[in-house]
Amino acid sequence: MGLMARAWIWVAILFALTGLPDRAEAQSRFALVIGVSAYEGRYALENAVGDAALVAARLSSAGFGSDDLKLLTDPTKGQMRDALDALYAKAQAAPNSLVVIYYAGHAVQYDGVNYLVPKGADLLGRQVTPGDYDDQAFNAQLFMSKFARTRVGHLLVVLDACRDNPFGGSPGLAEITGAQTGPEWMVAFSAMAGQTASDGTGKNSPYTAALAAELSVPDITLTQVFERIRARFAADPGLARQRPYSKGSLNVVLRSAPAETSLTSLGAALTGATGSSRGDGAQTEITRLIGAERIGSGEDGRKLLIDALKLRPLSAIRADADRGDGFALYLLALAHWDGMGGATKDPKLGASLLRRSVARGSGRAASALGFFLCCEPDGPKNEQEAVEWFRVGSWLKFSGATRNLAVMYRDGTGVKKDLAEAIRLFELAGKQGSGQALSNLGGMYDGNRYGLLDRARARIYYQRAADAGYPEAYESLGDGYWFGIRPDASDKDPKTALEFFIRGGNAGCATCWERAGALLASGDLGAVDDALAFNAYMKGAELGSVSSTVEAARKLLNGKGTAKDPVKALALFQRAADAGNVEAKASIGIMLARGDGVTRDPVRAATILREALARDLSADPKVRHAVYQPNYWGYARDLGLLLETKLVPQRVPTELADLRARYGAATGSMKRFTVPIDCGGSKSTFHVYLVNWDRPNDETSVDPQAEWLQEQRGCTIPVTVVDSFRKLKRIARENNVSFIDLTVYALGEAQKEQAQPKPVERKPVTKP
């Protein structure tokens, strides 16, 4: 397919989505509308056929084509079955389609099963047996099960059939359940399970009249349609007894507001957009104030919103949006997404506004829509559609959308994994101005996760990313110089590493200051400089780095590099704990346990320490390894002291014994050893700590530290090293000696052996 052909496909997609809060216009739509009024004698229903005709008219005006909308009046059971089969065949031929089924008429619940009563059913005036329902009525569950495991994207079933039951059995209807797989679905009833609904005295039933009215409202999802129906009934005293009910949700819109964007303008957006706002009229005030350069950049949208709200109130931004400014629509969407600036928190409304912004040519809004669908906790999970929105944003030349699309291809999320395509897209995003995309490329070559290990190439990309204004790339550059990029680490250059960390920190990279502090405190520069390390940590803390905040607090608590100040330390620990840092919270627990500069509170301390230690028992490695393993031993030590001195009671009689068995460091000594590690092909060293613990297997304290290192840093300790520690533990247990003492002795003997000069090998002299 040629480039121009592809471009106009996207023009058509954008045109179809103009003004819509969902993808509904791009979907095939099929509907089966059934109304049965012709029941015998007094059981006839005045409104059912009229109700069906009204709903069919609303669906037709909302875009359902005449060939894809079937109105079935007074059908027999066979006609209902044939119509459902025909609907199924059409929907199967159109992947990701929307299917709507509406039924108005009599229905009966028997033994938890709902049966729809067709014309001609012989169920009146005689004793009905269970078999009669299966023979002569239509099982409503077929509406759901028929479409299970199909290519249909969305399914809506509406039953205005909860009228008074003239056939015996339970009143009202039972719930209908959706398939465990297959389409996203929603079932709506005119009354709650077990209740009946009125047929009404007007031309239509109250429920269908409300449904028709809401289906006429533009830019609301089907889920919102039925929420609004329930609100109508609740607000009307004459209808409050009847409580409509729906189950499931569909973030699909049937009707959009009149389109305001032409194919011509959308074509121009695709061929010339830069990600900036595009409106039909003159540039609005908020666009002018923020500036096209920032709008088109990869800068975080929420930061733009925060700055915009400092310059203009939300009401003024809303006015700009009403005048058709795409960027103002984008800001208003984010405001409703997060509930900022006085806006009501409504992610679905936010998504609606984002779609309107996309129709104005905003690639930034398309990227936000993709994120909403793939990654936002409040958003509907639809990774495949997210890919398409990122693709639209990339066509609109917004670098953030192109980068996100590259990530999807890199990770195989919502699309088949394709590293070559990911690299191409990251490069394209870099050309569009995304330094983060170039840094992502560096990450692909920095380790061997993707089988692309080439750390020299990674360094080039990191440098390009930093030059493009992505300060976090300086952290990766600095780490490369700190530990070296050659396999033998012979090219280590800690001094250059520090220079990069400082450059990144001055450019706004908070974690760069944390790395600078760690380097200054490591001794790798020749001498430990705790004072400069503390200053670096404080700079990182000021920029919002949680890890820097924790390290600065530890310096203050211990008086290393600064005057000892437990009060300030506690304040910093609390700030980091409020940001979700577990180790900071546990540090507060230790301070409370010891009364270290604060009022001692054993009960609260024990609660905090127990919460931290509970993470070590989690089966989820991300939870367990969010805490560095030796820190668990410190928490166990302080909790054990509280239990030993009986400042707090044991939760169970064996709590203290269990602590001692699991954490030998709680009451014993600890020794530190340096071991080699491999970080994606780069050789380095790592400090591990040994404790004596009494576990029945050969596991040593090195094992969980190796797991932490792999989980948190992507580095590995050689298996031979781990096995050596296990063998020493086994020997220590068999000979009833201290594991730590034996390890110290064995290491000392090994060092002596290495220090002894090797005998010179004399080659035999042979005569010529």
Side-chain angles (χ1 to χ4, degrees), residues 51-126:
D51 289 341
L54 177 61
V55 170
R58 289 292 184 270
L59 293 176
S60 177
S61 65
F64 284 76
S66 58
D67 292 337
D68 300 323
L69 172 60
K70 175 70 173 178
L71 174 61
L72 198 61
T73 59
D74 292 328
T76 63
K77 179 181 179 181
Q79 289 171 329
M80 289 176 65
R81 183 181 59 250
D82 292 344
L84 184 63
D85 289 343
L87 176 69
Y88 174 82
K90 282 188 173 184
Q92 273 288 76
N96 198 37
S97 55
L98 167 67
V99 172
V100 176
I101 302 174
Y102 169 90
Y103 175 84
H106 277 307
V108 60
Q109 174 196 157
Y110 189 89
D111 198 22
V113 179
N114 298 316
Y115 294 96
L116 310 182
V117 182
K119 177 184 176 181
D122 182 19
L123 297 171
L124 303 175
R126 66 181 182 84

Side-chain angles (χ1 to χ4, degrees), residues 317-460:
I317 295 174
R318 192 184 303 277
D320 286 348
D322 291 341
R323 285 191 287 272
D325 183 80
F327 179 60
L329 282 164
Y330 168 79
L331 292 177
L332 189 60
L334 294 191
H336 281 291
W337 197 332
D338 291 332
M340 293 176 63
T344 56
K345 184 175 175 60
D346 188 343
K348 291 180 180 178
L349 175 58
S352 170
L353 293 165
L354 286 174
R355 284 169 173 79
R356 291 174 60 189
S357 180
V358 174
R360 297 286 181 177
S362 172
R364 178 181 279 279
S367 185
L369 267 172
F371 186 85
F372 177 69
L373 288 161
C374 78
C375 311
E376 178 67 24
D378 293 332
K381 289 294 182 185
N382 192 325
E383 293 168 345
Q384 290 78 15
E385 187 180 353
V387 168
E388 295 309 311
W389 282 113
F390 290 143
R391 207 181 302 280
V392 169
S394 181
W395 270 99
L396 290 169
K397 300 183 180 178
F398 179 62
S399 62
T402 307
R403 189 195 76 84
N404 288 337
L405 184 60
V407 171
M408 302 296 266
Y409 274 101
R410 182 194 67 188
D411 299 338
T413 304
V415 69
K416 185 177 179 180
K417 189 171 184 176
D418 187 336
L419 294 181
E421 179 65 2
I423 291 170
R424 185 190 74 80
L425 288 166
F426 278 132
E427 283 279 13
L428 177 59
K431 292 176 182 177
Q432 292 172 339
S434 174
Q436 186 177 6
L438 296 171
S439 185
N440 291 144
L441 262 177
M444 291 184 71
Y445 290 103
D446 202 6
N448 210 26
R449 177 180 177 185
Y450 304 101
L452 300 172
L453 180 61
D454 186 340
R455 305 195 75 201
R457 179 178 291 189
R459 179 175 285 178
I460 293 172

Side-chain angles (χ1 to χ4, degrees), residues 3-52:
L3 181 61
M4 290 305 296
R6 291 178 64 191
W8 281 105
I9 285 176
W10 284 108
V11 170
I13 291 174
L14 283 175
F15 178 69
L17 290 169
T18 300
L20 286 185
D22 211 314
R23 58 186 173 185
E25 292 287 7
Q27 289 181 299
S28 298
R29 297 173 165 193
F30 306 98
L32 173 60
V33 181
I34 305 170
V36 187
S37 290
Y39 297 105
E40 295 182 15
R42 63 187 179 90
Y43 303 114
L45 296 174
E46 295 292 332
N47 296 335
V49 168
D51 289 341

Side-chain angles (χ1 to χ4, degrees), residues 6 11 21 35 93 129 157 212 220 292 300 304 311 337 372 382 430 447 453 456 638 646 665 714 743 749 759:
R6 291 178 64 191
V11 170
T129 65
V157 176
I220 62 172
D300 180 72
L304 295 180
L311 300 169
W337 197 332
F372 177 69
N382 192 325
L453 180 61
D638 279 80
K646 299 185 179 179
T743 304
E749 290 300 308

Side-chain angles (χ1 to χ4, degrees), residues 125-284:
R126 66 181 182 84
Q127 186 69 34
V128 180
T129 65
D132 291 329
Y133 293 119
D134 289 317
D135 289 342
Q136 300 190 48
F138 193 91
N139 188 334
Q141 183 66 41
L142 290 176
F143 287 156
M144 301 300 296
S145 58
K146 183 78 173 177
F147 292 92
R149 299 177 179 84
T150 67
R151 304 169 74 189
V152 173
H154 299 89
L155 174 65
L156 170 66
V157 176
V158 183
L159 299 180
D160 188 3
C162 304
R163 284 123 178 175
D164 291 336
N165 179 8
F167 308 110
S170 304
L173 296 182
E175 286 194 14
I176 294 180
T177 58
Q180 295 302 309
T181 58
E184 296 178 18
W185 59 273
M186 187 174 187
V187 181
F189 300 86
S190 55
M192 292 191 69
Q195 294 183 346
T196 58
S198 171
D199 191 36
T201 56
K203 292 173 56 179
N204 299 103
S205 76
Y207 181 77
T208 293
L211 174 62
E214 296 302 335
L215 288 177
S216 300
V217 178
D219 292 346
I220 62 172
T221 67
L222 286 171
T223 298
Q224 291 170 320
V225 164
F226 294 100
E227 289 173 350
R228 289 162 65 102
I229 290 173
R230 287 196 295 273
R232 278 175 175 256
F233 274 71
D236 189 333
L239 298 174
R241 180 194 64 82
Q242 183 175 334
R243 298 176 62 189
Y245 169 74
S246 60
K247 185 176 182 180
S249 64
L250 288 176
N251 190 36
V252 175
V253 170
L254 295 187
R255 184 187 301 274
S256 65
E260 299 173 338
T261 307
S262 67
L263 277 171
T264 302
S265 64
L266 283 170
L270 281 170
T271 56
T274 61
S276 62
S277 173
R278 291 177 177 269
D280 291 338
Q283 188 184 62
T284 54

